[in-house]
Amino acid sequence: MGVTEWVPGIGAARGYRAPWFPKDLMAGIVLTTLLVPQGMAYAELAGLPPITGLYTSILCLLAYAVFGPSRVLVLGPDSALGPMIAAVVVPMVVSGGDPAQAVAMASVLALLVGLFMTVAAVAKLGFVADLLSHPTQLGYVNGLAVTIFFGQLPKLFGFSVEGDGLFADISGFVTGLGETVPAAVAIGGGGLLVILLLQRLLPKVPAILVAVVGAIGAVTVLDLDVDVVGPLPRGFPPFTIPTVSWDELGILAAAAVGITLVSVTDTISTATTFAARTGQEVRGNQEMAGIGAANLAAGLFQGFPVSTSGSRTAVAFAAGAKSQVTGLVGAVAITLMLVLVPGLLKDMPQPMLAAVVIAASIGLADIKGMVRLYRQRRIEFALAVAAFVGVAVVGVLPGIAVAVGLSVLNVFRRAWWPYRAVLGKPADVDGYHDLRQYPDAAEIPALAIFRFDAPLIFANARTFREEIRHLAITGPRWILVAAEPITDVDTTAADMLEELDQELNAKGISLVFAEMKNPVKRKIDRYGLTGTIDPAHFYPTLDDAVAAFRRSNA
């Protein structure tokens, strides 16, 4: 594999076209108006100082421009990752502890996520994104949205709570309403209203920028008594090698696995959406390498884990972005702000940051998706609800384990109880079809045609055997298995077939197969089953098998 495969930025630089630059420049400037307030807000969501959100944004944009394969994806602090980072970092930092300790832990977390991503990319493990099915992902994201919403409400009202989980946050908010700061509610609530209205009515207007500028202006002009961000450190993010204890490293590593999974899943999903618009192909392993590089870079400059942002990517795309130069412009613009005018955002009110996060949580929620799932497939809706409850009850990080476990169990359930059908021949349709769909289809006397729509493996071997035994009660001479859907037979199933064939032979019933795929037939031969099952009882088509049955019973 060539260098440009793992360092796509080299190829992108060689193929860059001069006419793209004005569009990339404008898109980068537009993107910066979103990067700054969101970066600061999501840093606080993660339990970190606001400046770390800007440090993270700069480094991840620079690294992805070099190592990321997509021309338009924008990486950065993410609303979905914020609560996950906070869930592991905040409890490990004692109350009133040094914020530098939290930053160090978050940076180690970013390095671990970057390491796991890079290893997964080299090992070509892009398929891990499939561990979160759409229903469980939908439930998890909705649970996350609710958790973020109620976790930020106290800050919007000007007070704080010591909650540990969704229900504790709700309880703390209700009991703390007596401490509400009217100015905070006015700034935060007004800012949230502006963001939501502009996003809905005037989507091309930078809603967050308008709300932030208005909030800073209100605090400055009216001298409102609300908590503000304060002066930011001047200069480029400092290179730092974070250190933690071995015990802390173990806890962070476990959390990094969950963050890596969510980040990969989110990135592959977003990349697929925008690749279809730009005519690119999604390269899952290279995407993981790009995200890994972005996290490694962020972790070495006092940053925290990042992921692809669908909202920021959409803004850059709508603004005319042609390449990752858009992200580079954003990184340079943030750096210039920190170097030249670090006091520009010192009067940013904390309730306004809470409003930015709450607006993101509202955008994260997908109620329509849940309703659609309820109408289309109740069992998958139940999985989504279970994933939602997992996040709400056991917490954000354990909720990932719940979601993954439910996804895996759903796969196992489908393999365990696959669809089964008895076939007949309808009068006006060619071939043999499910009697449930064609109840008037003709069945051939003394011949039962059975279809099993799954690989035949240890998980469903018993189900297959019981279905065949049930058919045997009806007294057929042949039980013909339409084997085309059976894509595999493992050794457990092979032993079952051997015992089942002997059992049926003792009753004068022949077990016969049709349309079995060649790879599966070769396994049957290798297992030695043709020593028990008559080799002549394997037919290329159902029609051939039916014709043979009629000849043998003429």
Side-chain angles (χ1 to χ4, degrees):
M1 183 175 290
V3 175
T4 56
E5 289 291 330
W6 291 109
V7 190
I10 296 176
R14 291 172 180 170
Y16 192 77
R17 303 175 186 175
W20 291 353
F21 184 71
K23 294 183 178 180
D24 281 336
L25 178 63
M26 182 57 64
I29 293 172
V30 171
L31 181 63
T32 304
T33 65
L34 189 62
L35 290 172
V36 173
Q38 279 195 345
M40 298 173 70
Y42 295 165
E44 292 222 329
L45 177 61
L48 302 168
I51 186 63
T52 59
L54 302 184
Y55 289 166
T56 302
S57 298
I58 293 171
L59 271 302
C60 73
L61 290 171
L62 293 175
Y64 189 81
V66 177
F67 295 98
S70 173
R71 293 201 304 264
V72 296
L73 286 188
V74 178
L75 267 65
D78 186 62
S79 58
L81 298 189
M84 299 169 67
I85 299 167
V88 64
V89 170
V90 173
M92 293 172 68
V93 179
V94 294
S95 178
D98 185 1
Q101 184 183 4
V103 173
M105 290 182 179
S107 295
V108 171
L109 195 58
L111 292 175
L112 290 170
V113 171
L115 177 62
F116 293 163
M117 286 280 192
T118 304
V119 170
V122 173
K124 300 186 183 301
L125 300 179
F127 65 87
V128 298
D130 299 331
L131 289 178
L132 278 175
S133 66
H134 177 68
T136 51
Q137 187 178 2
L138 188 63
Y140 174 82
V141 167
N142 279 303
L144 204 59
V146 173
T147 301
I148 293 171
F149 181 87
F150 284 104
Q152 292 295 305
L153 271 183
K155 187 186 295 185
L156 189 77
F157 278 67
F159 62 91
S160 61
V161 299
E162 296 296 330
D164 184 17
L166 175 61
F167 298 115
D169 285 339
I170 295 174
S171 175
F173 172 69
V174 172
T175 56
L177 282 174
E179 304 173 26
T180 297
V181 178
V185 177
I187 290 292
L192 179 61
L193 186 62
V194 168
I195 293 172
L196 296 178
L197 286 177
L198 287 180
Q199 286 178 341
R200 183 174 182 84
L201 302 177
L202 299 170
K204 293 186 177 181
V205 173
I208 292 178
L209 177 64
V210 171
V212 166
V213 170
I216 293 175
V219 169
T220 304
V221 173
L222 302 177
D223 193 26
L224 298 177
D225 184 19
V226 296
D227 291 335
V228 296
V229 170
L232 299 177
R234 180 185 294 271
F236 191 79
F239 176 82
T240 308
I241 299 178
T243 57
V244 295
S245 69
W246 285 107
D247 290 340
E248 291 169 339
L249 184 63
I251 297 172
L252 292 172
V257 173
I259 292 174
T260 299
L261 177 59
V262 171
S263 182
V264 169
T265 303
D266 186 40
T267 297
I268 296 300
S269 174
T270 305
T272 301
T273 300
F274 285 93
R277 300 183 187 181
T278 60
Q280 285 186 285
E281 292 184 2
V282 176
R283 294 182 286 169
N285 294 313
Q286 279 68 43
E287 284 293 354
M288 286 195 295
I291 307 169
N295 277 282
L296 290 172
L300 292 173
F301 288 86
Q302 297 189 10
F304 51 87
V306 298
S307 179
T308 300
S309 169
S311 62
R312 290 188 286 275
T313 300
V315 167
F317 185 81
K322 294 296 182 182
S323 73
Q324 284 299 324
V325 170
T326 296
L328 293 177
V329 170
V332 171
I334 297 173
T335 303
L336 290 176
M337 184 195 75
L338 293 178
V339 171
L340 301 178
V341 284
L344 183 65
L345 300 174
K346 65 182 179 64
D347 291 326
M348 167 91 77
Q350 294 283 3
M352 187 63 240
L353 292 181
V356 171
V357 175
I358 290 175
S361 73
I362 294 173
L364 196 63
D366 188 357
I367 306 302
K368 290 182 179 179
M370 293 289 284
V371 172
R372 183 172 62 252
L373 204 59
Y374 177 81
R375 292 172 178 171
Q376 292 176 345
R377 193 173 175 87
R378 298 291 174 84
I379 184 66
E380 294 195 346
F381 172 77
L383 289 173
V385 170
F388 175 90
V389 172
V391 175
V393 174
V394 302
V396 175
L397 283 171
I400 298 174
V402 171
V404 172
L406 289 172
S407 295
V408 173
L409 285 174
N410 191 33
V411 172
F412 189 76
R413 178 191 63 82
R414 293 180 179 182
W416 195 356
W417 293 306
Y419 189 78
R420 292 92 68 192
V422 176
L423 308 184
K425 191 172 182 59
D428 54 351
V429 180
D430 291 336
Y432 296 86
H433 299 277
D434 188 349
L435 290 179
R436 294 188 187 93
Q437 185 177 2
Y438 296 94
D440 296 328
E443 294 185 73
I444 301 172
L447 174 65
I449 305 177
F450 174 68
R451 193 183 71 214
F452 193 78
D453 293 352
L456 193 51
I457 57 176
F458 70 95
N460 57 35
R462 180 177 178 180
T463 301
F464 181 92
R465 181 181 60 195
E466 295 307 313
E467 291 287 342
I468 296 295
R469 283 176 172 172
H470 181 73
L471 285 174
I473 295 174
T474 62
R477 295 191 185 95
W478 278 21
I479 296 179
L480 172 59
V481 178
E484 184 181 17
I486 300 177
T487 56
D488 191 19
V489 175
D490 69 6
T491 55
T492 301
D495 291 341
M496 177 275 297
L497 287 175
E498 182 175 11
E499 295 171 1
L500 182 62
D501 185 61
Q502 292 172 348
E503 178 183 323
L504 293 175
N505 287 341
K507 297 178 180 179
I509 302 172
S510 295
L511 185 61
V512 182
F513 297 85
E515 300 179 343
M516 180 173 284
K517 293 177 170 62
N518 286 333
V520 180
K521 180 60 167 58
R522 286 195 293 269
K523 290 182 180 180
I524 292 289
D525 294 336
R526 188 164 65 248
Y527 296 151
L529 280 179
T530 48
T532 303
I533 302 175
D534 189 343
H537 284 171
F538 292 86
Y539 295 91
T541 68
L542 285 174
D543 286 333
D544 290 333
V546 171
F549 171 77
R550 284 175 169 153
R551 287 194 301 270
S552 66
N553 291 275

